[in-house]
Each structure stands twice: as C-alpha cells, then as structure tokens.
Amino acid sequence: HGLFDERGDDVYTVQTVLDFDGALDIPAFRAAGQALLARHANLRAGFRHEGLSRPVQVIPADADVPWRELDLSGLGEPEREAETERFLAEERR
C-alpha cells in the first residue's frame, strides 16, 4: 500500500517525536531501542517486491536499530526549531 501512491504520505509509516527534559543516558536509551527490536520480531518486518512476481514479507533474525544523534543545544530557539523541522522532513523522505 505504501507504494500505491508515491506522491502521498505512507499511512503505514509512523513517526513519533519525543521531547525529553533533563539529562538523558544516550547509551542506555539506544540499548533499550535495540532490546525492543531484538524482543519483538514484528518491529523488524519488511516487504520485498523488486524483481519478484509478488511481494513477500521478510523478518530478519536481527537488525540494528536505526539511530542518529543531533546536538542542537548550541542553537537558539528559532534555529533549533528550524533545524528540527529540516531533520524531520529529511527523515520522512
């Protein structure tokens, strides 16, 4: 369904943004995300279709959690907001 209309939003892909106040233990946070992927196979599921007569669902035995870190603490509020929006737009593409 996500390939049906390449100009529209993929309603099956969900992006969530969380704001945290205070210190964050980044290695522990990343490890928790990795543990979640390891524990729940449905979070590793995907579909392959190119070169196939019909799409097939695949669930890899393991996967690395996709992870990017941006430190925007040195920016003022307007610049931080603009950079956050730019990043989210890039991620949606």
Side-chain angles (χ1 to χ4, degrees):
H1 291 160
L3 296 173
F4 180 71
D5 181 2
E6 293 180 3
R7 293 172 304 206
D9 291 334
D10 183 351
V11 297
Y12 295 97
T13 301
V14 177
Q15 184 178 61
T16 302
V17 176
L18 305 172
D19 292 321
F20 295 95
D21 290 326
L24 181 63
D25 183 343
I26 294 174
F29 194 64
R30 186 175 186 173
Q34 190 63 50
L36 195 65
L37 269 184
R39 187 176 302 123
H40 299 285
N42 60 311
L43 297 176
R44 299 187 307 271
F47 291 90
R48 300 290 182 251
H49 61 89
E50 292 182 11
L52 302 175
S53 61
R54 62 188 174 116
V56 295
Q57 183 177 29
V58 295
I59 302 177
D62 58 13
D64 290 329
V65 67
W67 191 268
R68 285 178 60 186
E69 293 177 32
L70 294 175
D71 182 358
L72 306 178
S73 62
L75 302 177
E77 185 62 28
E79 295 85 8
R80 192 168 43 244
E81 292 262 337
E83 186 62 19
T84 298
E85 285 304 313
R86 187 201 63 74
F87 172 76
L88 293 176
E90 180 183 311
E91 287 294 304
R92 281 190 285 275
R93 278 191 302 276

